[in-house]
Amino acid sequence: MSDADPTAASPPIEPADDLLAATPETAYFWGRVAGDGELTANCITTRAGDETAADALAAIAGTSRTGTDHRIAARESAHDASIVRFEDAYELQAIGAPAERASAAFGLPIDGQPGGYRFDAFRDHRSQLLRGLFEACGTVCFRESSASVGVSFVHDDRALLGTIRSQLSAAEPHIPTDDLSETSSDGYWFGLADDADVSAFAEWLYTGSDESGLYAADRRAKLRRSIERATGSDVGDLEDT
């Protein structure tokens, strides 16, 4: 499942000329922000669980992870101006980025206000948007009892999960989902339906990821391993399709 030489190094990610323009890179970036981040008047915050994704998000915002003109920092607590590892997580902050404009353009919540989530601008980059959302607020597990793979999305914001379901429904291939349910911690979740083709979903979700560098290595690997256990076949690295 590859359209690129797996031994070739990924090209460097170029900074986005405009974070509000619709590109594969910005689709992935705003998916990560929506799924595990927040906006304030002068700051965009997002989080990543591994270095691959942290580097990609920093590059899209136009800085190295050590910080240059457009400062991005990951902090332990809330006072470290450099990117540091904290419980296998990176918190990236883009100071002075167009948070208010992004909230208006994409319906993202800002300063604790509810969001409307308008992602139509990314319809041509739906897989990258959903990849960012999946890596930010999705889970994957192998079900021993049925030898199947479970994929679900969990978030405190019911409106965001409703938008993700709509995006999955509009994807090619169509990806059926279950209804929203409440979690034990007052949040919400939904999973892919039992009749969903999880292998096809994973293949579509990570199309071109190795070539582009827009992915979290740990999450992609866990999804691949789970599918291999369920199907008994090698699905490759889910790098490209």
Side-chain angles (χ1 to χ4, degrees):
M1 353 164 58
S2 176
D3 61 8
D5 179 359
T7 64
S10 299
I13 296 173
E14 296 295 329
D17 293 331
D18 180 357
L19 278 174
L20 302 186
T23 68
E25 291 78 15
T26 57
Y28 179 73
F29 181 86
W30 291 115
R32 299 288 312 221
V33 173
D36 189 11
E38 54 268 344
L39 304 182
T40 60
N42 65 348
C43 181
I44 297 169
T45 300
T46 188
R47 300 171 185 88
D50 76 352
E51 194 170 15
T52 304
D55 283 339
L57 294 168
I60 293 165
T63 184
S64 70
R65 282 181 43 220
T66 56
T68 54
D69 293 340
H70 299 89
R71 188 175 181 82
I72 289 185
R75 301 177 179 177
E76 256 182 2
S77 300
H79 55 268
D80 192 333
S82 63
I83 294 181
V84 296
R85 200 172 188 87
F86 180 68
E87 296 182 351
D88 295 324
Y90 298 89
E91 183 175 277
L92 308 173
Q93 292 192 324
I95 307 298
E100 290 184 323
R101 290 169 54 216
S103 176
F106 307 130
L108 299 179
I110 187 167
D111 290 328
Q113 298 301 309
Y117 301 106
R118 298 181 296 275
F119 292 140
D120 287 350
F122 299 120
R123 65 172 61 89
D124 292 335
H125 311 294
R126 202 184 307 275
S127 65
Q128 290 87 357
L129 172 69
L130 282 165
R131 189 187 309 156
L133 287 161
F134 167 69
E135 292 178 355
C137 63
T139 66
V140 57
C141 66
F142 177 75
R143 301 173 178 140
E144 294 282 355
S145 59
S146 58
S148 61
V149 179
V151 173
S152 58
F153 292 81
V154 184
H155 204 273
D156 291 340
D157 192 338
R158 184 185 183 98
L160 174 62
L161 293 180
T163 299
I164 296 173
R165 290 185 72 221
S166 296
Q167 290 290 326
L168 289 167
S169 179
E172 291 292 342
H174 168 70
I175 303 160
T177 63
D178 294 327
D179 293 335
L180 285 172
S181 300
E182 292 188 16
T183 68
S184 58
S185 57
D186 297 324
Y188 303 91
W189 74 280
F190 73 89
L192 301 193
D194 288 342
D195 60 345
D197 187 337
V198 179
S199 294
F201 165 72
E203 191 174 289
W204 171 81
L205 191 69
Y206 281 97
T207 293
S209 60
D210 193 63
E211 185 177 59
S212 70
L214 303 174
Y215 68 96
D218 59 345
R219 182 58 58 86
R220 190 178 71 174
K222 183 176 182 180
L223 183 58
R224 174 183 59 82
R225 289 194 301 267
S226 297
I227 292 172
E228 287 180 342
R229 289 182 67 189
T231 63
S233 60
D234 185 355
V235 298
D237 293 329
L238 293 179
E239 294 171 345
D240 302 283
T241 308

